[in-house]
Amino acid sequence: MRQQLRLHPDSHSVAVKNIDVEIARPRTGRAELSYIVTGQMSSIRMPAVAANVRSDGLWRHTCFEAFIRASPNVGYYELNFSPSGQWAAYQFSGYRSGMQLANEITEVPIKMRSSPDGCALRASLSLDQFRDLPRDRSWRLGLSAVIEDATGGISYWALAHPSGKPDFHHADCFACEFSPAVTS
């Protein structure tokens, strides 16, 4: 399943033309999110390659994100995937509240490919690690990206945007339905 991210109305990007996210189910219990960026890569500030380890503050620079919940008005997970290979996983008990590290998520393999006119980041997720989300009903995904251009400007991309400033945690952003129990 392919989803297109939209640029926030108050954002501007000279480097990026388009961002799509491909959601794949290579086997039971796994999901892969592939963020596909089309644009002028020389105008995007990419973090230096690093070890595939948990790290904080990734969203301050070019970063791809996924928010996952089972139903409105309850807890959710936030995952950050950096082109550096680093990742982060947090759990929230409610809208922007009760944030803590999602320690049950112990690894997020990331693969990055780049060319002058685009890049693709693939993050592989073990669905069993999302212990607080029921597996017998659909989940809602909020897919997003923060892109830093070569001058330090930031653009915000998501499936949907609420009115006002960019807010990937907002309920409107959880715009994609996903079944954890079905393989493709």
Side-chain angles (χ1 to χ4, degrees), residues 141-161:
L141 301 180
L143 303 170
S144 53
V146 175
I147 305 293
E148 183 177 17
D149 67 33
T151 65
I154 301 285
S155 61
Y156 300 93
W157 301 75
L159 292 173
H161 294 282

Side-chain angles (χ1 to χ4, degrees), residues 4-165:
Q4 183 176 26
L5 301 187
R6 295 173 185 2
L7 180 63
H8 187 274
D10 296 335
S11 286
H12 176 71
S13 178
V14 295
V16 176
K17 293 180 187 173
N18 193 53
I19 302 176
D20 288 324
V21 182
E22 183 72 34
I23 303 164
R25 298 294 302 277
R27 63 184 188 273
T28 301
R30 300 225 43 102
E32 289 183 348
L33 303 176
S34 295
Y35 294 79
I36 304 150
V37 178
T38 304
Q40 186 178 357
M41 293 308 296
S42 62
S43 296
I44 298 173
R45 187 176 290 170
M46 296 294 245
V49 175
N52 179 242
V53 296
R54 185 186 301 260
S55 186
D56 280 324
L58 299 174
W59 53 269
R60 291 183 177 113
H61 303 285
T62 297
C63 181
F64 302 95
E65 301 183 352
F67 293 79
I68 306 170
R69 71 173 190 209
S71 63
N73 304 318
V74 295
Y76 59 94
Y77 289 86
E78 174 185 352
L79 296 119
N80 303 156
F81 317 116
S82 173
S84 71
Q86 296 174 312
W87 58 274
Y90 307 98
Q91 190 171 12
F92 292 80
S93 59
Y95 173 72
R96 291 189 174 274
S97 66
M99 180 180 151
Q100 62 185 7
L101 286 178
N103 288 319
E104 65 273 22
I105 299 173
T106 57
E107 69 173 344
V108 179
I110 294 173
K111 292 188 179 178
M112 183 72 187
R113 291 186 344 257
S114 189
S115 68
D117 58 353
C119 70
L121 177 142
R122 184 175 70 214
S124 182
L125 305 174
S126 171
L127 301 180
D128 293 334
Q129 294 183 78
F130 296 91
R131 293 184 195 135
D132 288 345
L133 298 180
R135 300 285 299 267
D136 61 347
R137 64 180 197 231
S138 292
W139 295 354
R140 302 296 300 179
L141 301 180
L143 303 170
S144 53
V146 175
I147 305 293
E148 183 177 17
D149 67 33
T151 65
I154 301 285
S155 61
Y156 300 93
W157 301 75
L159 292 173
H161 294 282
S163 60
K165 67 180 185 174

